[in-house]
């Protein structure tokens, strides 16, 4: 049988993790599928879903701190969580899975198609990583090293997600999936704008599932802001060309490279032409 | 409403709702062993050597050497082995079983077995098979089966034609996606090998065991366990795992359970045939269709299986609901190095009706005619003949059905409605179609010879004995309702259990929309006989199939009554498409069916709504593609079945109608409801985007391509 540790406190969990490598398990909705058919997992499993320290949602100094073991349903039901983050969460999986799957698990599974990461990246969210000895804050955008590889050192655990509460973004989120529930993304598109007196002061754009990591470009965002209002067709084409260089979509069982690329750029152009000013 | 139409409580309801029903994987008899299958990793190769590691005590291997009888699956053609002996012809073909008490140990043993292959050039697609000039899989040509027939004088029609419109269509695979994967438990009980499992056709398995074991029928017993869906996927395929499990039980002397994992099931079991269909219509100057040539090419996979029979339904359905006097129809089922294609609800009909219905749309567009008006001008009618010259004896209510479905859906208005302000593209499409009920041709008479038995016990209860399987479609309930109604006794006095070949006569397979119409009729006839002897305290009655007077079928020249009876359908589907992503929502689905007398309203609703959901999935989103002989989609994460959020509520009605053949005037329904959904959906997409659609499924990826280049 698989060895399973079920610590009472975060400290204990970090201490176990520092002594031995362990598979960290929370909701298990990805992991169980991966291992369900292969028989028992070889190494020990560290079960963190019930650690109180990882299940809190609270506001601290202009940020909302979300415990990594909070379920998607808990986030959706919390009045503290900004609506623009709820948009991707509400379209993930199905109610039964959202009731058990955790926000931390969505990030640590490190799929390029994970739906929480593009919005968190666009919102400049930070991740709090802890080990037995140290704590580190890392931009959510930098968390994915490669498909299946989160930036977690030996002994490190994702404990919290810190999301800035201001500005209050106008948000557009589009998930293009195989179907309307229980669906992985072919493409996801997040766009945030901060408007004052009808003028866009700030803009953030992130694409999911079209490259090994979330696609976000600060240069392109600056260019959008400096392009005047409304943007001309030439400007829109030039900005799309800039993002086009960053997209590295693949052909797989769910969609094609050509579709992913074209639809990402169409969503972007639609946003720059209409969505941003709506 | 006739009494029989009222919804009854289903006989399988309590067990399934309470969770008490014990499916194959729930059966754990004392001493149970498990079996896992070693499968070919190559699409086409000679099997040179298989190295099995030393096995722990209590474990063994079963392969073709363990077959005492014949290593050939009995279907139509003798080409498929139960276990590969010297060659493999598709990825997933079974080579051997490992059997023992612990499934994880079995998995680890499977990983240690080394197979030495000598690869041969595979044929990885239908197009490759059609272009192949040598090194064939089957005999001296690239196909297993070829059919050709004519009606009228096609050459004369071509000669007279003023105009001609041609189309080529492609349809993809579809996976049955039954909730319960394939599974069998075998046990040796006092010299009798007993199979319990998930199946549609107990007697197919009985004959497969007989052939593999060389045993007498009296030493073989097949019992259907509660079955989590079939959709054709448990028609011919379960013979293979049933024989495997039986061989293991015989060798070990212990009960053996063989249950597939989902990925394994998708890899190696039968699926709907992909097809490439060309249609060419010859028109006179008034836009009337003088003649038509139809060329059907189906991807049969590595063994012939049921492909010849599926191909028959394709070639007899592809002329559609239209009275065209001059036809030439050709069909071929090609051999490819992939898992054999096989039975799937609709059985060739969905491919054929997609092609003919989209072709009618394209003809209307070519002629600048209204697509429904063009169809109306050519509808089949009572007293007319089918493509094979069979007389249409019953009223054909296509005109009325088209009126009804148009009115229900607002088709005419929606077809020409201006674009909505949202920037979304709306489209609406229709389809008209039939499904031939029962086995093709004279199959009921020549191949099946079905019969049923009813027994009255001393307490006045009646037991129905038939081999029709309960697949969730309501077979048990329908058959017992027919018996109760005919005998005039309360329904709770009639019992109908899961079929058991020791007790039940062979009433044929549970396929081809034949259970209610053909088997139901036999139950009705047996009940009438029993009623005549009702005074006797204990009695029984049997009824056997009789080919109806006045019908005829010549299979060699494809002439006569290809089916004994037809059910009819009319569908309208409406979609709303986002021009940015090319993704679309199915916003409405309407249907009118002619199924004769409905035998149970609740069961009819289930069959209609489920069938249309499966048909819309086929049309819109169920992508199954092969690369190098392997399916890319190996689970329900990637193989995209529609969810309730993807489907609108289906609004449906029935036309009043009566069949002379079925019990209480009923016809077949199980498959019909699937057949027309995909073409109506594709026509709706076509209406929305203004470009011809020629491929299923109609994915956003395909629409993007059409909008760019189409």
């Amino acid at each position: 049988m698989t060895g399973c540790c079920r610590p009472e406190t975060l400290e204990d969990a970090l201490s176990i993790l520092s002594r031995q490598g362990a598979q960290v398990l929370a909701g298990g909705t990805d992991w169980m599928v991966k291992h369900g058919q292969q028989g028992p997992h070889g190494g020990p499993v560290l079960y963190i879903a019930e650690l109180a320290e990882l299940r809190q949602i609270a506001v601290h100094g202009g940020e909302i701190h979300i415990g990594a073991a909070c379920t998607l349903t808990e986030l959706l039901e919390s009045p503290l969580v900004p609506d623009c983050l709820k948009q991707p969460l509400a379209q993930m999986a199905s109610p039964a899975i959202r009731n058990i799957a955790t926000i931390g698990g969505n990030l640590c599974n490190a799929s390029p198609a994970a739906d929480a990461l593009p919005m968190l990246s666009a919102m400049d969210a930070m991740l709090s990583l802890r080990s037995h000895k140290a704590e580190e804050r890392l931009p959510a955008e930098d968390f994915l090293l490669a498909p299946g590889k989160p930036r977690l050192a030996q002994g490190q655990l994702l404990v919290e997600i810190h999301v800035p509460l201001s500005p209050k973004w106008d948000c557009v989120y589009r998930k293009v999936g195989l179907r309307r529930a229980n669906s992985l993304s072919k493409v996801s598109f997040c766009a945030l704008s901060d408007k004052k007196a009808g003028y866009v002061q700030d803009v953030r754009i992130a694409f999911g599932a079209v490259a090994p990591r979330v696609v976000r470009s600060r240069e392109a965002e600056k260019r959008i802001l400096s392009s005047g209002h409304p943007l001309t067709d030439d400007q829109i084409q030039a900005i799309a060309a800039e993002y086009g260089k960053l997209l590295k979509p693949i052909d797989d069982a769910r969609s094609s490279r050509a579709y992913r690329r074209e639809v990402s750029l169409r969503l972007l152009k639609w946003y720059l032409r209409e969505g941003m000013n709506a | 409403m006739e009494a029989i139409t009222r919804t009854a409580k289903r006989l399988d309801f309590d067990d399934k709702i309470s969770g008490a029903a014990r499916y194959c994987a729930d059966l754990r008899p004392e001493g149970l062993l498990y079996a896992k299958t070693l499968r070919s990793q190559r699409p086409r190769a000679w099997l040179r050597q298989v190295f099995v590691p030393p096995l722990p005590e209590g474990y063994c291997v079963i392969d073709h050497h363990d077959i005492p009888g014949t290593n050939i699956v009995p279907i139509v053609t003798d080409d498929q082995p139960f276990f590969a002996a010297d060659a493999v012809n598709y990825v997933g073909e079974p080579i051997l079983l490992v059997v023992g008490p612990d499934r994880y140990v079995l998995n680890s043993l499977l990983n240690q077995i080394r197979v030495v292959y000598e690869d041969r050039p595979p044929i990885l697609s239908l197009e490759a098979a059609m272009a192949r000039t040598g090194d064939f899989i089957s005999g001296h040509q690239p196909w297993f089966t070829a059919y050709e027939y004519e009606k009228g004088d096609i050459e004369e029609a071509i000669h007279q034609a003023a105009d001609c419109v041609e189309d080529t269509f492609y349809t993809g695979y579809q996976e049955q996606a039954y909730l319960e994967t394939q599974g069998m438990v075998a046990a040796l009980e006092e010299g009798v090998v007993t199979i319990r499992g998930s199946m549609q056709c107990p007697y197919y398995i009985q004959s497969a065991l007989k052939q593999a074991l060389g045993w007498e029928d009296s030493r073989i017993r097949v019992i259907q366990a509660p079955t989590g869906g079939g959709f054709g996927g448990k028609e011919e395929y379960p013979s293979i795992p049933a024989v495997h499990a039986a061989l293991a039980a015989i060798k070990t002397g212990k009960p053996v359970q063989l249950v597939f994992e989902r990925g394994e099931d998708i890899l190696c079991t039968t699926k709907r045939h992909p097809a490439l269909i060309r249609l060419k219509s010859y028109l006179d100057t008034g836009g009337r269709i003088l003649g038509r040539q139809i060329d059907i090419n189906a991807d049969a996979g590595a063994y012939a299986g049921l492909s010849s029979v599926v191909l028959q339904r394709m070639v007899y359905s592809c002329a559609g609901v239209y009275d065209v006097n001059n036809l030439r129809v050709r069909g071929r089922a090609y051999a490819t190095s992939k898992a054999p294609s096989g039975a799937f609800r609709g059985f060739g009909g969905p491919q054929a009706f997609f092609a003919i219905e989209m072709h009618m749309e394209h003809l209307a567009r070519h002629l600048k005619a209204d697509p429904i008006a063009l169809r109306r001008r050519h509808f089949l009618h009572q007293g007319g003949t089918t493509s094979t010259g069979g007389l249409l004896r019953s009223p054909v209510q296509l005109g009325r059905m088209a009126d009804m479905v148009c009115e229900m859906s607002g088709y005419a208005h929606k077809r020409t409605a201006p674009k909505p302000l949202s920037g979304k593209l709306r489209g609406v499409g229709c389809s008209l179609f039939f499904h031939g009920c029962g086995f093709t041709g004279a199959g009921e008479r020549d191949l099946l010879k079905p019969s049923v038995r009813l027994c009255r016990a001393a307490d006045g209860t009646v037991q129905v004995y038939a081999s029709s399987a309960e697949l969730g479609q309501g077979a048990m309930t329908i058959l017992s309702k027919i018996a109760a109604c005919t005998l005039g006794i309360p329904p709770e006095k009639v019992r109908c259990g899961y079929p058991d070949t020791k007790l039940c006569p062979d009433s044929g397979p549970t396929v081809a929309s034949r259970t209610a119409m053909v088997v139901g009729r036999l139950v009705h006839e047996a009940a009438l006989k029993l009623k005549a002897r009702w005074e006797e305290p204990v009695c029984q009655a049997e009824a056997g199939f009789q080919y109806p007077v006045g019908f005829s079928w010549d299979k060699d020249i494809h002439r006569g009554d290809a089916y004994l009876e037809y059910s009819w359908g009319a569908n309208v589907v409406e979609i709303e498409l986002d021009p940015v992503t090319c993704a679309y929502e199915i916003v409405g689905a309407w249907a009118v069916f002619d199924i004769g007398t409905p035998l149970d309203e609740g069961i009819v609703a289930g069959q209609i709504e489920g069938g249309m959901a499966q048909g819309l999935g086929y049309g819109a989103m169920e992508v199954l593609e092969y690369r190098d002989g392997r399916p890319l989609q190996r689970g329900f994460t990637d193989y995209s079945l529609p969810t309730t959020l993807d489907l609108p509520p289906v609004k449906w009605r029935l036309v009043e109608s009566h069949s002379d053949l079925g019990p209480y005037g009923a016809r077949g329904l199980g498959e019909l409801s699937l057949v027309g959904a995909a073409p109506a959906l594709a026509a709706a997409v076509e209406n929305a985007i203004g470009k011809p659609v020629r491929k299923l499924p109609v994915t956003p990826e395909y629409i993007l391509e059409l909008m760019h280049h189409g």
Side-chain angles (χ1 to χ4, degrees), chain B residues 430-568:
Chain B
C430 76
S431 64
L432 287 125
F433 51 95
F434 65 72
H435 193 76
C437 311
F439 257 38
T440 300
E444 296 286 343
R445 178 189 65 195
D446 300 341
L447 302 172
L448 299 180
K449 306 178 181 71
S451 65
V452 304
R453 184 167 63 245
L454 264 56
C455 295
R456 187 216 152 132
D459 63 359
T461 59
V462 171
Q463 179 86 33
V464 178
Y465 291 105
S467 66
S468 303
E470 175 58 62
L471 307 164
Q473 88 284 38
M476 264 182 198
T477 310
I478 291 289
L479 296 183
S480 49
K481 267 182 99 171
I482 291 168
C485 271
T486 310
L487 289 163
I489 60 175
E492 58 273 15
K493 290 277 187 190
V494 179
R495 310 230 162 95
C496 182
Y498 287 96
D500 175 343
T501 56
K502 189 180 173 190
L503 306 173
C504 303
D506 185 355
S507 27
T510 314
V511 305
S513 305
R514 63 182 293 282
T515 301
M517 193 182 92
V518 177
V519 183
R521 161 105 185 208
L522 298 180
V523 169
H524 178 64
E525 285 172 2
L528 288 174
K529 289 184 193 170
L530 200 65
K531 199 173 182 179
R533 299 173 53 188
W534 196 248
E535 301 309 316
E536 301 170 36
V538 176
C539 54
Q540 65 175 44
E542 297 201 6
F545 180 79
Q546 302 215 319
Y547 192 71
V549 177
F551 283 68
S552 70
W553 176 247
D554 185 332
K555 67 181 183 345
D556 298 324
I557 57 167
H558 308 272
R559 192 92 196 132
D561 298 293
Y563 298 95
L564 296 177
E565 184 60 286
Y566 296 86
S567 294
W568 307 86

Side-chain angles (χ1 to χ4, degrees), chain A residues 5-236:
Chain A
C5 312
R6 193 171 175 159
E8 298 282 325
T9 66
L10 177 59
E11 280 317 308
D12 288 351
L14 293 171
S15 159
I16 291 164
L17 210 52
S18 73
R19 287 198 307 271
Q20 57 176 91
Q23 171 66 50
V24 177
L25 185 70
T29 54
D30 283 312
W31 191 81
M32 294 296 282
V33 174
K34 220 177 283 173
H35 292 277
Q37 294 171 357
Q38 296 163 12
H41 177 65
V45 170
L46 180 67
Y47 183 68
I48 60 159
E50 286 165 25
L51 293 176
E53 298 95 321
L54 302 186
R55 304 211 48 169
Q56 289 161 11
I57 302 177
V59 173
H60 292 281
E63 284 181 336
I64 175 168
H65 289 196
I66 300 167
C70 290
T71 66
L72 303 180
T73 300
E74 284 164 350
L75 266 67
L76 286 166
E77 288 175 354
S78 164
L80 302 176
V81 173
D83 282 341
C84 47
L85 179 55
K86 287 182 179 176
Q87 286 199 31
L89 304 182
Q91 292 189 43
M92 283 165 69
S94 59
I97 291 175
R98 291 197 295 267
N99 286 344
I100 190 166
T102 63
I103 180 75
N106 188 245
L107 303 182
C108 292
N109 187 50
S111 161
D115 284 331
L117 200 52
M119 189 61 85
L120 288 171
S121 301
M123 296 174 84
D124 281 341
M126 301 292 288
L127 305 182
S128 169
L129 310 179
R130 276 190 58 185
S131 63
H132 191 42
K133 297 259 165 59
E135 180 163 1
E136 183 189 351
R137 259 172 56 112
L138 175 79
E141 199 182 334
D142 297 336
F143 187 59
L144 221 78
L145 293 173
K149 289 205 173 18
R151 226 211 68 173
L152 278 171
Q154 186 74 38
Q156 238 179 0
L157 189 69
L158 169 64
V159 293
E160 277 183 344
I161 296 122
H162 300 167
V163 185
L165 283 171
S166 63
K168 203 160 163 33
W169 298 106
D170 280 347
C171 165
V172 167
Y173 175 71
R174 294 293 301 274
K175 168 172 175 162
V176 185
L178 286 168
R179 56 188 167 201
R180 290 156 67 86
N182 268 330
S183 171
L184 297 179
S185 290
K186 296 174 180 179
V187 171
S188 71
F189 174 77
C190 307
L192 304 176
S193 66
D194 177 27
K195 286 184 204 138
K196 293 209 174 61
Y199 283 90
V200 176
Q201 308 289 306
D202 197 358
V203 70
R204 309 277 178 81
I205 287 171
F207 298 89
V210 287
R213 304 171 45 162
V214 171
V215 170
R216 192 177 156 197
S217 161
R218 282 174 179 66
E219 295 74 43
E221 288 169 8
K222 272 186 206 142
R223 191 161 173 180
I224 295 167
L225 285 175
S226 63
S227 291
H229 174 83
L231 279 77
T232 65
D233 281 348
D234 284 349
Q235 285 171 331
I236 291 173

Side-chain angles (χ1 to χ4, degrees), chain A residues 37-40 174 176 178-181 184 186 252-256 258-259 262-263 266-267 270, chain B residues 104 107 261 578-582 585 621 632-633 636-638 640-641 643 645-646 700-701 704 708:
Chain A
Q37 294 171 357
Q38 296 163 12
R174 294 293 301 274
V176 185
L178 286 168
R179 56 188 167 201
R180 290 156 67 86
L184 297 179
K186 296 174 180 179
D252 66 8
R254 294 191 285 277
S255 189
S256 67
Y259 178 85
E262 174 67 20
V263 166
R266 283 175 167 218
L267 285 165
W270 166 83
Chain B
Y104 296 133
N107 277 338
E261 285 160 13
D578 178 346
V580 177
T581 61
C582 299
E585 187 184 342
M621 58 206 294
L632 280 181
Q633 292 78 12
F636 292 157
T637 302
D638 292 333
S640 182
L641 296 163
T643 68
L645 294 185
D646 298 287
E701 284 77 4
L704 182 72
H708 256 219

Side-chain angles (χ1 to χ4, degrees), chain B residues 330-384:
Chain B
R330 194 189 82 159
R332 286 175 180 169
Y334 284 89
T336 58
S337 308
K338 296 184 286 182
S341 303
F344 194 144
R345 193 179 198 174
F347 210 75
Q351 299 93 321
F353 278 99
F354 168 68
I356 183 66
E357 286 301 279
M358 295 311 287
H359 183 59
M360 290 302 285
E361 290 283 318
H362 299 169
L363 273 173
R365 174 194 279 260
H366 176 80
L367 294 167
K368 300 187 172 55
D370 175 75
I372 290 190
L374 178 73
R375 285 174 168 92
R376 269 179 210 283
R377 287 180 64 189
H378 296 88
F379 274 159
L380 289 170
H381 49 86
Q382 184 178 21

